[in-house]
């Protein structure tokens, strides 16, 4: 496992060097992983990396890049937009020479076109936002401020919104909110992996049997 | 319906809190939930409520959420049963 960087196109036309975690042995089968978004990304990071370790042991390369504005990225999240993230994932696929793609939860919304693709329990953008807005309302209430969903939902597409510590720009919110995962991808349901989804956990957790099962589905699909 | 809600609620709590199999079977009406478990921040509570909605097929309005319903297992069960009866 090595840290890598890759040239990522930005909405303003510049290129930034973004971070990626890679198992890159220059091998034939190469999986690009688009990670879960926002808070779920933290909870699923461990599972993601554990799956990559298992793929590596099966002779498969894999890479999980940062989207600009996420994880280690120095870009501001609120300046990112939806077409920009699509360009970023397409650029990452080209740079790393991906042969296959895996999207995880909200990451499924941004899997690039043109490669065999799996979606692990894909999430709609509206569901992700609904939960984050609820978290904001609960946190505000604890701090003694009453906020209502309707008002926040009206405000977000015109002036942007901060949800669970993530500052989403107005343009991003408008384009992101109606997004649904591409139905052409092969869906991996939680039932195929066993146990309950680790994104549900209150605290980031790991589960070696889930990592085994997910890696096995991918390895079979990539090498058969 | 009521036994079913009880069972589903224990399963949801097992998934959200990462409990060991069988651990939630020991919960009674007075078992403390939120306020007793410091790791349950607002994002975790929001996740729990979304799971309740999906698996119990109910809709929870934001203004229905209060400390009392989340304080104990019994409080949450009473709330969930009332929602399902009214749905």
């Amino acid at each position: 496992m090595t840290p890598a960087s890759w040239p990522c196109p930005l909405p303003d036309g510049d290129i930034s060097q973004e971070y990626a975690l890679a198992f890159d042995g220059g091998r034939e089968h190469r999986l690009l992983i688009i990670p879960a978004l926002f808070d779920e990304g933290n909870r699923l990071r461990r599972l993601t990396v554990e799956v990559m370790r298992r793929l590596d042991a099966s002779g498969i390369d894999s890479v999980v890049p940062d989207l600009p504005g996420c994880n280690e990225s120095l870009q501001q999240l609120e300046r990112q937009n939806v077409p920009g993230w699509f360009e970023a994932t397409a650029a990452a696929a080209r740079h790393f020479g991906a042969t296959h793609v895996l999207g995880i939860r909200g990451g499924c919304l941004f899997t690039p076109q043109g490669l065999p693709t799996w979606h692990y329990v894909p999430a709609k953008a509206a569901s992700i936002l609904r939960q984050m807005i609820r978290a904001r309302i609960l946190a505000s209430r604890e701090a003694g401020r009453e906020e209502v969903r309707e008002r926040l939902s009206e405000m977000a597409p015109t002036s942007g919104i901060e949800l669970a510590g993530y500052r989403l720009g107005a343009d991003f919110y408008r384009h992101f909110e109606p997004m649904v995962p591409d139905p052409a991808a092969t869906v991996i349901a939680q039932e195929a992996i066993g146990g309950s989804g680790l994104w549900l956990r209150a605290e980031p957790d790991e589960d070696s049997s889930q990592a085994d099962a997910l890696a096995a589905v991918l390895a079979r699909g990539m090498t058969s | 319906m009521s036994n079913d809600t009880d069972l589903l609620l224990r399963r949801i709590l097992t998934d959200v809190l990462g409990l060991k199999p069988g651990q939630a079977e020991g919960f009674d009406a007075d078992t403390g939930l939120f306020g007793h478990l410091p790791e349950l921040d607002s994002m975790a509570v929001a996740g729990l409520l979304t799971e309740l909605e999906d698996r119990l097929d109910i809709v929870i309005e934001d203004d229905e959420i209060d400390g009392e319903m989340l304080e104990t297992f019994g409080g949450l069960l009473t709330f969930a049963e009332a929602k399902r009866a009214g749905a």
Side-chain angles (χ1 to χ4, degrees), chain B residues 38-60:
Chain B
E39 71 269 27
L40 279 168
D41 60 10
S42 57
M43 198 66 212
V45 174
L48 172 74
L49 296 170
T50 304
E51 279 305 294
L52 289 174
E53 290 184 325
D54 288 351
R55 294 204 226 169
L56 301 177
D57 198 21
I58 57 176
V59 175
I60 302 170

Side-chain angles (χ1 to χ4, degrees), chain B:
Chain B
M1 174 67 102
S2 135
N3 284 341
D4 180 31
T5 306
D6 184 287
L7 186 67
L8 285 168
L9 191 55
R10 286 175 204 268
R11 281 196 195 141
I12 294 165
L13 287 167
T14 298
D15 292 346
V16 171
L17 300 175
L19 304 177
K20 293 186 183 69
Q23 204 177 336
E25 285 164 29
F27 285 9
D28 62 27
D30 294 327
T31 300
L33 296 178
F34 306 94
H36 302 260
L37 301 163
E39 71 269 27
L40 279 168
D41 60 10
S42 57
M43 198 66 212
V45 174
L48 172 74
L49 296 170
T50 304
E51 279 305 294
L52 289 174
E53 290 184 325
D54 288 351
R55 294 204 226 169
L56 301 177
D57 198 21
I58 57 176
V59 175
I60 302 170
E61 303 297 336
D62 296 314
D63 58 11
E64 292 177 314
I65 305 161
D66 62 29
E68 204 176 321
M69 80 178 249
L70 293 167
E71 199 172 335
T72 60
F73 180 73
L76 192 55
L77 182 59
T78 303
F79 174 81
E81 285 173 341
K83 283 304 283 189
R84 289 189 96 194

Side-chain angles (χ1 to χ4, degrees), chain A residues 1-126:
Chain A
M1 174 167 54
T2 50
S5 70
W6 58 288
C8 175
L10 296 175
D12 59 11
D14 278 355
I15 299 282
S16 72
Q17 286 296 317
E18 295 294 346
Y19 172 84
L21 187 61
F23 285 85
D24 190 350
R27 291 170 287 190
E28 179 188 358
H29 302 295
R30 302 172 65 76
L31 182 70
L32 172 73
I33 301 176
I34 310 301
L37 302 179
F38 312 127
D39 199 65
E40 289 192 351
N42 298 329
R43 295 182 218 194
L44 290 171
R45 187 81 180 172
R46 178 82 184 164
L47 176 74
T48 305
V49 174
E50 286 301 308
V51 168
M52 294 170 75
R53 287 184 200 283
R54 285 157 173 78
L55 292 174
D56 180 51
S58 305
I60 295 169
D61 283 350
S62 62
V63 59
V64 57
D66 283 356
L67 290 166
C70 297
N71 199 37
E72 302 288 338
S73 175
L74 297 177
Q75 303 303 314
Q76 287 183 48
L77 177 59
E78 67 177 312
R79 296 185 61 181
Q80 306 311 310
N81 59 38
V82 166
W85 275 10
F86 272 115
E87 280 183 38
T89 59
R94 283 193 301 274
H95 181 79
F96 292 106
T99 58
H100 296 74
V101 179
L102 168 69
I104 298 180
R105 298 282 296 156
C108 300
L109 298 166
F110 293 97
T111 47
Q113 299 286 315
L115 292 169
T117 300
W118 287 276
H119 282 172
Y120 171 53
V121 198
K124 291 179 189 168

